[in-house]
Amino acid sequence: MHVNKKALTERILALLLPTMAMTSPVWALDTINQQQLNQLADTLDVKYRLLSNMPEQCPGSTAEFCYHAQIEITSPFTANVDGWKILYSQVYPATESKSEQLTLRHFNGDLNHIAPSSSFTGFEAGKSQVIEFWVASSLLNEGELMPNYILTAQGLEPKVIKSTQSYIEPDTRLEIKPYAAVSGKNSVMQSHPDDHYAKYTSAALFDKYAVPNYELDSVTHAIVPTPDSMEVFSQDSPLGLRQGIKLQLSGLEYGDVAAALQRLDALGVKQTHNGVAVHITVNGKRESHAGAYQLSTRQGKIQIHAQDNAGAYYGLQSVASLLSLDTMQVPAVSVVDKPRYDYRGLHLDVARNFRSKEFVLRLLSKMSAYKLNKLHFHLADDEGWRIEIPGLPELTTLSSHRCIDLDDKHCLQPQLGSAINADRDGYYSIEDYQEILNFAKQHHIEIIPSLDMPGHSRAAVKAMEKRFYTLTQQGKHDAARQYLVSDPLDATEYRSIQHYNDNTLNVCMESTYAFVDKVISEVAAQHKKAGSPLNIYHIGADETAGAWVESPACKQFIADKSNDVHEVEELTGYFIERVATMIAAKGIEVAGWNDGLSETRQDKMPRKVASYVWATLPQNAHKVVSAHARKGWDIILSTPDVTYLDFPYELDPKESGYKWGARRTNSKTIFEFMPDNLPANAEIKKDTIGRNYIADDRTQVDENGKFTHQPLPEGFRVTGIQGHLWSEVVRKDHLAEYMLFPRLLALAEKAWHRAQWEVPYNYAGEKYDHTTGFFTAQMRQHRDQQWQDFIHAVGYKELEKFDRLGVFYRIPNVVSKVIDNKLHASTIIPGLPIQYRINLGEWQEYVEPVRLSPGGDIELRALSPDRRRPGRIELADLTGNARF
């Protein structure tokens, strides 16, 4: 009788494996089956280990920065299986790799795969398979190390490797990544021989954050953001609001301030028949700045005289800011206030990782509490499409979620560490978006939608390809081509800034413009239905890759001289000009990122354009602002090194965040920013590795006498400023709050209040660096005092309100310094409880410096004001070299 030995072996193994899970089975080196794949996914131990941020060589790259790392894969048992592949996300592809038995390949976007090489001999129990590689970047914290490595094989159901799953730590509620091995703070901190951030020790930060003899009485009358002017009447008794308030309105409706009253109610100030009288009057005359108000809390009543309904709303929010939760009192003050900028915004990316509707509503409420008035809503990008568009269901049925389908036939590829059936996907239905628009209007916030085009458009490209193929199979060829945005015959090989090779709309096809018009028209219709007209639309227009070179459609388009396009390089500008004209024809102001707008011809653009400038300060952001200001465009400051709130708070390998524009962005970083004089910031700010830089704002010409730079036009001021939360590394709603708060308050401070200590802009032009003295010692002293006023108000008043309202803000790291054999500790935010423990003992209250004893490890942590939540634990370096 003929015996099929292979089949018999597999049958025997199938019977034995359930009882041999953690013993040491020996499998034939054969194609992996489902049971083997499942067991390996459950038991493989994977570590991503940083070896050096300054390796001696950077193979395969000429980049200034490079890091050397390895992925180590260990099985607890012997597994002689082949045919598997591990998919994982890595922000930057490896420039070179080496391994005895494994291969590493870049697939698309941030998706890479590890597979057995021809010399692979299987997993040996307890012995690691290692692949090492070099990446043209630096790895400074765990934020870039995405979770959820996926073990897959042809024809089998893929599984997430359990050891690569992150989890939420119960007490801190922070994300823990057991697979991340970014250890050794020296190697993490220094990424370049000239990296100055290595000097930022815990002791140095302790000195920087020291607060000598601050008078806490000033916190009582603090308002965040700081009002234009305030008079304090210390001789008057404060108003007690425990009995509530009684509202009297003139010139406005209750609904105009209802949301502000709801916040006061949540803080314990309710509307009652015997409460303190609150008189609110709106004069309705255009005599002052939109949003301006006057507030008085004297003589037993509260009076608000407002320029408009928004001003009345902001006046009530200032009452909430004055309120002390301990006493339920507001001090006697008189306030005259108006906003610095008309545009005070926040950019929220929900495309990369989705944010729930509930999160968006909570965020709108918090934004309005601090007088922000624009939500730049980033609804589509390469990794997801998040808004329902009638007539184009594929945008949400396919492109609102990710899975393991690498062909993008039923979903998008699993980018950014998204697991199978990821909880980071979804979309807003028409009803959801209507609710968001209505809620925003109640909070005096304008929604500015953004669906990035023509680059950053992979979600749209794949959805419309799905539509094309489906309708083509049904014989509906005209309908199939109606909204197609990619050329099926395009053979161009390109890689976008996020390493995609298929993420750009084809700008040479009429169907692409039909798609854009359809989308914008439907979004505008949703705004109109909600009673919130679409006044401004952000088209994106940034980081367009080198697409279209081998597109037959584009070759034909360029050959047609009537299109006024002569080179492939002109196509991005043509697209933006045409779409901008389309948007303007609908009565909507067009907005876009500065790099794409820079490729347009001014005579081909609408008169009214908003340029969002995202060049960094050391990269001459002031020159971009000036060039676009001279075109008559509105300028929204989006300088990443100040306004990107997806960057790390501090120099800590456990902190999350990208770092390409700034290594650390805390509240003080933002507070010190001088937005009306960008070049003057060179006196106090550094580049990405802590070096001084020069900002030359003087008139400059080339060898032919042509202007290459001119200062701002006389009297020009930017329209506004906005913070940004990009979501590549933000996987949970509460962690998005962590990245936003409390530093969003500092952004609101810059948007609302013009500080007297800021260096005035010189319209004749000036050159600035760390040696020029335009930012005088007196200005510096004034700034430092106002910083203490602001951060004490945050620490002693606003964080308590965050606790009451359930905001998951960041509790700062504890910094420390050894002085006279005693450990001194503090935080950047004053007033927080601090605890310490010695040798993993019981936590004790830090009330005075701790005397050191030999052989004792001391750990430190801060607590929220309500003491319900601890921050991250830090081990005190008693030698004074700890880095954060």
Side-chain angles (χ1 to χ4, degrees):
M1 182 176 68
H2 175 74
V3 178
N4 187 327
K5 294 182 179 180
K6 177 180 176 182
L8 182 60
T9 300
E10 290 180 349
R11 174 61 178 161
I12 293 172
L13 286 174
L15 293 172
L16 291 177
L17 275 175
T19 63
M20 298 171 58
M22 294 309 296
T23 61
S24 300
V26 179
W27 296 330
L29 188 59
D30 207 343
T31 302
I32 191 171
N33 62 38
Q34 187 68 60
Q35 190 170 16
Q36 294 163 344
L37 185 146
N38 294 349
Q39 190 178 21
L40 282 172
D42 287 344
T43 58
L44 283 179
D45 181 62
V46 177
K47 287 288 187 290
Y48 192 113
R49 196 178 310 280
L50 173 66
L51 300 178
S52 174
N53 262 314
M54 290 196 300
E56 294 182 0
Q57 294 180 327
C58 294
S61 172
T62 58
E64 182 181 11
F65 295 96
C66 137
Y67 73 83
H68 183 200
Q70 67 180 25
I71 293 177
E72 183 180 86
I73 306 171
T74 309
S75 173
F77 50 81
T78 298
N80 296 320
V81 289
D82 202 349
W84 52 268
K85 183 183 295 182
I86 294 175
L87 300 174
Y88 80 101
S89 290
Q90 180 170 290
V91 176
Y92 302 100
T95 58
E96 190 167 311
S97 63
K98 68 177 184 179
S99 173
E100 293 182 1
Q101 300 190 35
L102 302 176
T103 63
L104 174 61
R105 298 285 186 273
H106 173 253
F107 182 72
N108 197 15
D110 64 36
L111 193 61
N112 298 266
H113 60 75
I114 297 170
S117 69
S118 58
S119 59
F120 182 69
T121 58
F123 292 108
E124 184 178 337
K127 183 177 180 181
S128 298
Q129 290 282 358
V130 176
I131 185 163
E132 61 179 300
F133 47 89
W134 291 261
V135 179
S137 180
S138 54
L139 181 60
L140 302 169
N141 63 56
E142 295 180 357
E144 292 183 4
L145 301 185
M146 307 290 182
N148 300 319
Y149 292 34
I150 299 172
L151 184 64
T152 183
Q154 184 70 34
L156 302 183
E157 181 184 357
K159 297 290 183 181
V160 175
I161 299 175
K162 285 188 176 181
S163 67
T164 67
Q165 293 177 311
S166 62
Y167 64 91
I168 300 300
E169 190 176 47
D171 53 351
T172 66
R173 294 184 64 204
L174 297 177
E175 185 178 23
I176 304 299
K177 300 176 177 178
Y179 55 90
V182 182
S183 59
K185 290 191 175 181
N186 287 340
S187 65
V188 170
M189 284 300 304
Q190 197 159 10
S191 62
H192 186 277
D194 199 24
D195 190 339
H196 288 45
Y197 279 120
K199 301 175 183 177
Y200 279 61
T201 65
S202 182
L205 291 179
F206 178 88
D207 291 337
K208 191 177 182 68
Y209 299 153
V211 185
N213 305 318
Y214 184 84
E215 294 290 337
L216 283 176
D217 290 346
S218 61
V219 172
T220 304
H221 58 263
I223 294 175
V224 178
T226 303
D228 199 39
S229 67
M230 173 190 287
E231 186 175 1
V232 179
F233 300 92
S234 55
Q235 71 278 10
D236 291 7
S237 298
L239 278 178
L241 301 184
R242 289 190 187 278
Q243 299 302 314
I245 56 176
K246 185 176 181 179
L247 207 61
Q248 298 180 24
L249 303 178
S250 176
L252 74 163
E253 301 294 330
Y254 180 82
D256 296 323
V257 293
L261 294 167
Q262 290 169 5
R263 179 169 181 247
L264 281 166
D265 185 281
L267 294 174
V269 179
K270 302 185 180 300
Q271 296 182 68
T272 62
H273 293 295
N274 60 343
V276 172
V278 178
H279 301 274
I280 305 179
T281 303
V282 171
N283 62 34
K285 299 178 181 179
R286 290 294 177 185
E287 299 173 349
S288 182
H289 201 292
Y293 69 92
Q294 298 176 26
L295 167 66
S296 172
T297 57
R298 302 186 66 199
Q299 300 175 346
K301 61 184 177 183
I302 297 173
Q303 290 184 305
I304 298 173
H305 296 282
Q307 167 69 28
D308 49 24
N309 294 342
Y313 184 87
Y314 297 144
L316 279 174
Q317 296 290 18
S318 289
V319 173
S321 191
L322 285 168
L323 179 69
S324 168
L325 296 186
D326 293 335
T327 63
M328 293 303 293
Q329 294 178 338
V330 294
V333 299
S334 177
V335 174
V336 178
D337 202 7
K338 65 180 184 296
R340 175 182 197 163
Y341 296 128
D342 291 334
Y343 188 112
R344 307 177 301 280
L346 174 66
H347 169 281
L348 179 66
D349 169 19
V350 298
R352 271 59 178 270
N353 282 311
F354 186 63
R355 302 273 78 86
S356 68
K357 178 185 69 177
E358 292 71 25
F359 172 88
V360 176
L361 300 182
R362 292 197 309 269
L363 178 60
L364 289 167
S365 176
K366 298 177 189 76
M367 287 174 59
S368 73
Y370 299 97
K371 305 183 176 74
L372 297 173
N373 68 343
K374 310 287 183 183
L375 179 65
H376 179 175
F377 210 8
H378 190 72
L379 291 162
D381 211 292
D382 294 321
E383 295 84 5
W385 186 283
R386 308 302 185 187
I387 182 172
E388 182 180 3
I389 301 296
L392 299 176
E394 296 83 2
L395 289 169
T396 46
T397 57
L398 184 143
S399 292
S400 71
H401 63 286
R402 291 164 286 192
C403 67
I404 198 60
D405 180 9
L406 300 183
D407 294 328
D408 303 290
K409 293 180 178 178
H410 307 290
C411 58
L412 295 180
Q413 296 167 3
Q415 301 285 337
L416 300 174
S418 58
I420 303 163
N421 300 319
D423 62 354
R424 295 184 264 139
D425 284 331
Y427 68 94
Y428 307 110
S429 66
I430 292 175
E431 292 75 18
D432 291 335
Y433 195 61
Q434 289 289 299
E435 185 177 349
I436 290 170
L437 290 172
N438 288 325
F439 195 86
K441 183 168 61 175
Q442 294 163 13
H443 288 75
H444 299 273
I445 293 175
E446 180 181 12
I447 301 290
I448 301 172
S450 175
L451 301 156
D452 217 334
M453 303 172 185
H456 287 274
S457 294
R458 190 173 191 276
V461 169
K462 296 305 171 184
M464 292 302 95
E465 286 178 355
K466 171 71 172 179
R467 182 181 184 275
F468 173 80
Y469 295 136
T470 300
L471 293 176
T472 298
Q473 289 176 346
Q474 297 172 2
K476 302 176 181 178
H477 299 287
D478 290 340
R481 290 188 293 268
Q482 184 179 7
Y483 297 121
L484 186 62
V485 297
S486 56
D487 180 357
L489 301 179
D490 189 353
T492 307
E493 295 183 3
Y494 67 91
R495 181 181 286 186
S496 75
I497 193 69
Q498 277 83 29
H499 314 290
Y500 289 100
N501 56 23
D502 53 358
N503 78 331
T504 307
L505 305 184
N506 191 297
V507 302
C508 305
M509 300 165 56
E510 285 302 309
S511 53
T512 294
Y513 298 95
F515 170 80
V516 174
D517 185 66
K518 167 71 172 175
V519 167
I520 295 174
S521 296
E522 293 292 350
V523 172
Q526 293 192 39
H527 278 252
K528 183 178 180 180
K529 182 179 178 182
S532 300
L534 183 58
N535 297 315
I536 181 170
Y537 178 84
H538 196 289
I539 64 174
D542 64 317
E543 297 181 331
T544 301
W548 317 314
V549 175
E550 297 300 328
S551 164
C554 284
K555 289 181 178 180
Q556 182 178 353
F557 184 86
I558 294 172
D560 185 349
K561 302 303 182 184
S562 65
N563 290 317
D564 196 23
V565 173
H566 308 93
E567 304 289 343
V568 171
E569 291 75 18
E570 298 175 4
L571 287 172
T572 296
Y574 170 84
F575 173 85
I576 298 169
E577 292 163 2
R578 183 168 173 180
V579 171
T581 302
M582 177 194 305
I583 294 171
K586 299 178 186 294
I588 303 168
E589 180 180 0
V590 65
W593 301 112
N594 65 270
D595 51 335
L597 293 178
S598 294
E599 298 190 39
T600 63
R601 297 162 291 186
Q602 187 175 0
D603 62 326
K604 301 290 185 180
M605 291 290 287
R607 184 188 63 81
K608 192 163 182 59
V609 175
S611 175
Y612 289 61
V613 176
W614 66 283
T616 66
L617 295 170
Q619 292 174 330
N620 294 317
H622 66 284
K623 293 186 176 181
V624 178
V625 169
S626 180
H628 287 201
R630 288 184 171 276
K631 294 183 177 183
W633 294 348
D634 296 330
I635 304 296
I636 310 301
L637 293 179
S638 303
T639 45
D641 35 345
V642 177
T643 70
Y644 274 31
L645 305 181
D646 57 304
F647 290 170
Y649 277 89
E650 293 290 354
L651 304 171
D652 187 329
K654 293 297 181 183
E655 286 294 327
S656 184
Y658 280 0
K659 47 74 179 80
W660 58 265
R663 293 273 289 275
R664 60 197 296 267
T665 305
N666 57 33
S667 296
K668 196 169 191 289
T669 307
I670 302 168
F671 184 89
E672 293 179 342
F673 181 47
M674 296 182 283
D676 284 342
N677 191 346
L678 295 190
N681 288 281
E683 290 203 350
I684 58 174
K685 293 194 175 295
K686 313 291 184 183
D687 70 5
T688 54
I689 58 174
R691 298 174 298 192
N692 297 311
Y693 69 95
I694 297 171
D696 192 347
D697 194 37
R698 297 172 298 184
T699 299
Q700 297 156 40
V701 296
D702 62 18
E703 56 188 16
N704 298 317
K706 181 180 179 181
F707 287 116
T708 57
H709 173 68
Q710 295 175 272
L712 289 171
E714 187 72 32
F716 177 86
R717 289 184 60 245
V718 301
T719 302
I721 185 174
Q722 74 175 16
H724 303 76
L725 183 64
W726 298 97
S727 69
E728 288 97 333
V729 297
V730 184
R731 282 170 279 279
K732 300 285 185 182
D733 281 0
H734 78 281
L735 296 177
E737 286 193 339
Y738 177 96
M739 299 301 287
L740 287 170
F741 298 104
R743 56 184 169 179
L744 186 63
L745 275 60
L747 191 284
E749 174 78 9
K750 302 314 296 183
W752 183 270
H753 178 69
R754 178 180 288 104
Q756 293 181 355
W757 50 261
E758 295 182 26
V759 178
Y761 185 75
N762 183 352
Y763 289 96
E766 192 53 76
K767 182 179 179 181
Y768 302 87
D769 62 36
H770 70 288
T771 66
T772 53
F774 298 98
F775 187 59
T776 65
Q778 185 178 11
M779 289 175 172
R780 189 181 301 270
Q781 184 180 14
H782 192 189
R783 179 203 65 187
D784 293 347
Q785 179 60 49
Q786 284 203 350
W787 159 249
Q788 294 303 334
D789 293 341
F790 170 81
I791 201 61
H792 275 79
V794 171
Y796 282 93
K797 289 176 71 174
E798 298 307 315
L799 293 192
E800 288 186 337
K801 291 164 188 172
F802 281 172
D803 286 343
R804 181 73 63 88
L805 300 175
V807 181
F808 189 79
Y809 57 89
R810 179 182 184 266
I811 298 173
N813 294 344
V814 179
V815 294
S816 58
K817 183 177 183 179
V818 176
I819 305 174
D820 296 332
N821 203 41
K822 293 181 180 179
L823 185 69
H824 296 246
S826 69
T827 62
I828 186 174
I829 302 176
L832 297 182
I834 296 176
Q835 293 182 330
Y836 72 96
R837 67 181 179 185
I838 302 174
N839 293 334
L840 300 179
E842 294 295 322
W843 286 105
Q844 304 176 59
E845 296 300 307
Y846 174 86
V847 294
E848 61 181 3
V850 179
R851 181 166 295 280
L852 302 181
S853 58
D857 285 336
I858 301 180
E859 292 176 305
L860 297 158
R861 69 179 184 182
L863 303 175
S864 58
D866 66 5
R867 307 183 70 85
R868 294 182 179 180
R869 180 165 62 93
R872 199 186 306 280
I873 297 172
E874 294 291 343
L875 177 65
D877 186 336
L878 305 183
T879 67
N881 294 321
R883 293 186 171 89
F884 294 87

